[in-house]
Every structure is written in structure tokens, then in C-alpha cells.
Amino acid sequence: MPTSSLQPVLAAIDVGTNAVRLELARPDADGSLETLHQERDPIRPGEGVFSSGEMPKETADRLLSTLRRYAALCRRHKARVRAVATSAMRDARNRDEIVQRVRDEAGLNLEVVSGKEEARLICLGVLHRKPPQTRSLLVDIGGGSTEVAIATGERPDDLWSLPLGSVRLTEMFDAAGKVTPKQLRLMRSYVEEQMRKGLPEHLAHLPRVALGSSGTINAVVGYAASEGTGHVSLRQLQQAVETLAEMPPERRRKRFDPRRADIIVAGATILERVAKHLGVESVTAVNRGLRDGLLVDLLYRQDETREDHSLADAAVAMGRRLLFDEKHARQVAKLALTLFDDLAALHNLPLSCRPYLETAALLHDVGNAVSYERHHKHTYYLIHHGDIPGLADRERELVARVARYHQRSPPELNHSGMEGLSPAEARLVRKLATLLRVANSLDSSHHQPVKELRAVNGRDAVSLHLKSRQPVDLELWNVEQETSLFRRVFGKRLALHVGR
């Protein structure tokens, strides 16, 4: 049998503002993805959300019916699934109720991703296997938001998400039917205002050609571009916006799919203003997007040999925004990962947990941005509510718990901070937090005196062999305070050995 037939099927479910989509794919031996099945249901999950702030029950019922069918297909293929919801669900006040219904009725864990995580996934989908040094500028216009990314290879350098979408703008300015010159002027002004708020004024060294993903951009470029070229200049975009706005609604519905026709003027306006703001010469339409990114993300997550620094980069970026002590954070992360790697047989955690420890270690002190007193609790709050591309909601919660326990109260199972965790999650948090506490103690002075660490898992004790560049008395005293917790969690005592 070919190798590809032995690979697990991957499933991506995208609950967007305009439609719900499913794609099933199987990895080939070379790491490419072979599509097995696709579905798209234009049920408009975001219809009315941006004006009312809530998803109506009728819409939620349609969504559940669709997701139950998708879940059955995934079960039939024994697929690994990642299901995400984007802008409309982010804005819906009743999102938690709908997510719970999806879990109860469809058996799916529907993850409401942040705008930046959406941008990261789109970036991954569009730029998968791009040459490592290639610089790209990516724009995606959804029904409720617009994502912009700058990347090197397939790795994002900067990500932005703006509350600008074709459905949102259409509802705000009643632009589904006839669009007057005044309406168009107001829409353009509104889009420009949102971009000034959400995008830097001067982005240096941008590619002159933007890649545009999403059905809206493909429809606009297909209409505005010279026949067969697949790309459109800024001048052509400006002309297309004017023409589409002047076009009677009946003609728009003949030219486009009826549901696309209602939102095409708003979509074209956003694309035109974004292109102008970014100073690009043209936009090239691409056929890959969020679903592809979900599949690539699943593919990477099952490859434990692959090194991916994007999550650590996102954590460092968050830390810098909160003015953290970067040298200390990086040192603690380095020591924590050494403990994780050297003591793999002792903690017996999967390699997929390693990034959680690294992220928690990098961000363990960000609570100082609020107050030094009880900063461990402020750290939990900031991570729990933070936007860290690369982490699903539940993963971010686990990272927040690990970071919260880097000092003060130990992560005992009966402590209030452990409430709401499953037994498996509680064990994971206890083990990772204990490793983090030891690593943090080894840089108590914040002066990085430990230049090398090696952990040896002995029969009765774990020996920590330290090489230091200066006295480590404070560090040794603090590690001693963690020995009883270490013994309770791992069943072994800690022994310290210091050399130069």
C-alpha cells in the first residue's frame, strides 16, 4: 500500500461569516496534502450579528444542522479535526451558548479564534512551502474582518486583524442594493479610519504585490482584472469600485452569485482602500486560505520532530508590549526546556506540551506590568485574555495556569486556581509548573548566573549539575524551597551540584 494511505485523515472546519466549510485531506509521503472531500454551505452564520450583537436562534439551528453533518463525515473518515469560528462568532454575545451546543449536539470542539490567530492560519495556508527567504504581503477579506500579514517564507513577521468585513460593512451602510455616491464616500472614509486605527502608517520594505485570499477578493479581482491575468492594479480596483457601486443590483446579481452580489461593493471598497493604504501596485488572487492553514497546522502538530519558533516569537512580542525583563524570561525558558528535555522519562509528558512550558516561561512575569504585588495572578489574567497566535483557547488557558503557578502557592490539586481542569490537565499543569518553578529559582537574581544546566534522573534523586559564571547563593536557596513540591509531584528529591 502507498505510504499516504497509512496517514491519518485531517479535517478543517471553518465557521465564517458568509458560509461554513469543511475540507478533508490526507498527507502524502512528501508532506503535501491530497484533498479527499470539500463542502461549503452558504448559511450566513454572521447574518444580523454585527447589527444586533447576537446570533439568532434560527441561524444557530442552521449552523448546528450543518456541523452535525460535518461531524458525521469526520467520524466516518476517523479524521483529526480542528474546527474554528471567526469574526461573527467573536462578536456574538451568545457565542458561549452556541459553542456548548456544538460540543453537546455535534461532538465538536468549536474554537473561536482571535483575529491574529485567524491571520496566522491564513498565512500558513497561503504560504505553505514558500521558499524560506521570500517576503510576502497577504490580505484576506472575510465577512466580518480583514486580516493582513507580512511574512518571510511561511513564517509571519507581523499580523493584523481589522473589524472590516464585506458583510459587516454592507449591514452598516445598507449597501446590499443601490449604492449612492454618498454611501460610497462614507464607506471609503470609514474603511480609511479603521485602517488608520489598526494598521501602522508607514510599513517599510513591503512587497509591491499583495496576495489576496478569500472568495470576496477572488470575485473582485476576477471582475476588475484584465481577462485571464489573475491580478489587478490599484487603478483597476478604483475603477471597479465606482462601476460596481453604479451598477443596478439586478445586474450585480446576474454577474455574481446572488449572495456574493449583495456584499461585493463593500468587499471591493475594502480591498481598494487596503491596497491604497499599504501602497501596493497590484493584488494577485490566490485560491488558498484559512481551511488550508488549518490543515497545515494539523499536519505540523502531528510532526513532533519539527521545530517551530513562531509561538515563542509571539510570546516574546507580547512580553515586549508589556515591558517584560527579556533576558530573565529567555533564561528561565532555556532552563525550563533543559529540564523538560533531560527529564522526559520522569515527567512522561508528550513532546506537544513542550511549547506550553516555553510560552509560560517566557511570559511568567508579565503580570508585573499591572503590579508587582500578586503579579502571578495578573500574569494569569493577561495570558488568559491575551492574543497569542498559535494557541487555541484551551491551550492558552493551560499556559496561563502554568505561568500563574511560577511562584507563591504550589499547584496542588485542591487549590482554587486548579478548578475547572480535567484530571489529565491538572497533572500536566502540576508537572510543567513544577519544572517552571525550579527554572525560575535558578535565575532568582535576574542576572543569569547559571551558564549551563544538566539534569540527571537518578534512581532516588534528580541531580542538577550547574555551571555558573558568578555566585549562585540566592538561586540555590530558592531551589531548596521547591524541593518538597518536586518530591510530591515527581516522587524524587533534588540534589544540586555547582561547578565553574
Side-chain angles (χ1 to χ4, degrees):
M1 291 178 67
T3 305
S4 63
S5 66
L6 302 176
Q7 297 292 320
V9 174
L10 306 178
I13 297 174
D14 165 19
V15 178
T17 299
N18 295 313
V20 186
R21 300 169 180 84
L22 165 71
E23 183 165 347
L24 296 165
R26 194 193 300 276
D28 286 334
D30 66 352
S32 59
L33 290 161
E34 174 197 0
T35 299
L36 304 177
H37 183 74
Q38 286 183 326
E39 292 207 18
R40 180 181 185 275
D41 290 86
I43 63 170
R44 283 277 177 93
E47 199 162 44
V49 169
F50 304 119
S51 53
S52 70
E54 194 167 285
M55 183 181 290
K57 185 179 183 303
E58 300 77 22
T59 306
D61 290 342
R62 290 200 307 269
L63 174 61
L64 263 296
S65 175
T66 303
L67 291 180
R68 283 195 297 268
R69 191 174 81 250
Y70 286 4
L73 285 166
C74 293
R75 285 193 294 273
R76 183 192 304 169
H77 287 271
K78 298 179 180 177
R80 289 189 61 191
V81 186
R82 188 173 181 194
V84 303
T86 55
S87 181
M89 197 74 83
R90 284 197 293 268
D91 280 22
R93 285 194 300 267
N94 56 341
R95 57 180 263 184
D96 292 343
E97 172 192 327
I98 295 165
V99 167
Q100 188 62 51
R101 281 192 64 189
V102 172
R103 187 178 295 119
D104 294 342
E105 298 178 33
L108 290 171
N109 178 28
L110 182 61
E111 178 190 340
V112 183
V113 293
S114 69
K116 283 193 175 181
E117 173 65 356
E118 183 181 354
R120 184 190 74 87
L121 290 167
I122 293 166
C123 197
L124 196 57
V126 172
L127 304 177
H128 181 45
R129 294 188 151 185
K130 268 281 190 196
Q133 302 308 316
T134 306
R135 289 272 291 167
S136 301
L137 171 62
L138 176 65
V139 178
D140 182 281
I141 299 173
S145 64
T146 292
E147 278 65 49
V148 178
I150 301 171
T152 305
E154 62 179 40
R155 185 173 169 180
D157 298 317
D158 286 296
L159 300 167
W160 297 274
S161 182
L162 309 171
L164 291 168
S166 50
V167 174
R168 188 192 295 266
L169 202 65
T170 298
E171 290 185 358
M172 284 182 68
F173 291 93
D174 192 23
K178 183 180 178 182
V179 179
T180 66
K182 181 180 179 181
Q183 280 174 294
L184 181 58
R185 242 184 357 263
L186 289 171
M187 279 199 294
R188 280 173 159 165
S189 297
Y190 179 79
V191 173
E192 287 170 356
E193 179 188 346
Q194 291 302 312
M195 285 190 298
R196 281 194 297 271
K197 290 179 183 176
L199 276 177
E201 281 289 341
H202 302 291
L203 291 167
H205 310 299
L206 287 182
R208 305 324 302 163
V209 177
L211 301 176
S213 66
S214 76
T216 294
I217 291 181
N218 273 270
V220 172
V221 171
Y223 174 78
S226 305
E227 191 170 343
T229 62
H231 61 266
V232 62
S233 68
L234 179 58
R235 181 180 292 277
Q236 286 174 314
L237 272 177
Q238 291 169 332
Q239 290 172 345
V241 170
E242 301 284 350
T243 305
L244 287 168
E246 292 170 0
M247 191 182 291
E250 301 76 27
R251 278 188 57 201
R252 290 205 299 268
R253 292 191 183 101
K254 287 180 182 177
R255 178 65 177 77
F256 303 96
D257 170 87
R259 282 182 170 260
R260 181 76 65 195
D262 291 345
I263 59 175
I264 196 69
V265 177
T269 302
I270 295 169
L271 183 58
E272 172 217 17
R273 295 288 112 173
V274 170
K276 185 177 180 183
H277 183 89
L278 295 172
V280 298
E281 295 170 359
S282 64
V283 178
T284 298
V286 294
N287 289 317
R288 296 170 64 84
L290 179 60
R291 273 190 332 283
D292 304 277
L294 288 167
L295 292 170
V296 173
D297 190 61
L298 283 170
L299 180 68
Y300 286 169
R301 283 171 182 244
Q302 71 181 19
D303 180 5
E304 295 192 338
T305 64
R306 182 177 181 273
E307 282 197 53
D308 182 4
H309 302 288
S310 59
L311 181 54
D313 291 344
V316 169
M318 178 179 175
R320 286 173 179 167
R321 289 196 300 272
L322 295 167
L323 303 178
F324 75 152
D325 181 343
E326 186 167 343
K327 286 184 178 180
H328 171 66
R330 288 187 182 274
Q331 174 75 347
V332 172
K334 175 186 169 185
L335 297 172
L337 293 181
T338 298
L339 292 171
F340 184 94
D341 295 340
D342 289 355
L343 301 177
L346 178 66
H347 61 65
N348 200 30
L349 292 171
L351 197 57
S352 58
C353 296
R354 192 176 188 269
Y356 304 164
L357 177 60
E358 183 178 20
T359 306
L362 287 167
L363 296 175
H364 72 278
D365 271 348
V366 293
N368 287 324
V370 179
S371 170
Y372 179 76
E373 293 299 321
R374 294 157 42 102
H375 76 267
H376 57 299
K377 293 185 178 181
H378 299 310
T379 288
Y380 168 80
Y381 180 87
L382 290 169
I383 297 175
H384 173 77
H385 292 282
D387 190 351
I388 308 173
L391 288 179
D393 286 354
R394 196 61 188 168
E395 292 174 320
R396 193 172 66 250
E397 175 65 20
L398 294 175
V399 168
R401 303 272 187 132
V402 173
R404 179 251 183 271
Y405 282 110
H406 77 274
Q407 67 163 31
R408 305 288 289 272
S409 302
E412 303 295 2
L413 295 175
N414 60 356
H415 191 265
S416 60
M418 301 288 277
E419 288 178 4
L421 297 177
S422 69
E425 289 174 335
R427 286 193 297 272
L428 182 149
V429 168
R430 284 195 88 209
K431 290 178 179 181
L432 293 184
T434 301
L435 296 179
L436 175 56
R437 290 170 82 101
V438 173
N440 187 45
S441 297
L442 288 171
D443 196 42
S444 303
S445 64
H446 286 226
H447 289 147
Q448 299 77 59
V450 176
K451 63 181 180 181
E452 191 177 315
L453 167 66
R454 184 167 57 92
V456 179
N457 181 22
R459 182 176 175 179
D460 300 313
V462 168
S463 298
L464 301 184
H465 298 269
L466 314 177
K467 287 187 179 179
S468 64
R469 57 174 59 90
Q470 61 194 63
V472 288
D473 302 282
L474 178 61
E475 280 70 22
L476 296 178
W477 187 87
N478 276 289
V479 174
E480 284 292 337
Q481 311 312 303
E482 303 299 337
T483 54
S484 60
L485 172 64
F486 193 92
R487 186 190 286 270
R488 290 198 301 278
V489 173
F490 294 115
K492 293 187 179 182
R493 63 185 178 85
L494 275 177
L496 297 164
H497 308 275
V498 182
R500 293 278 178 163

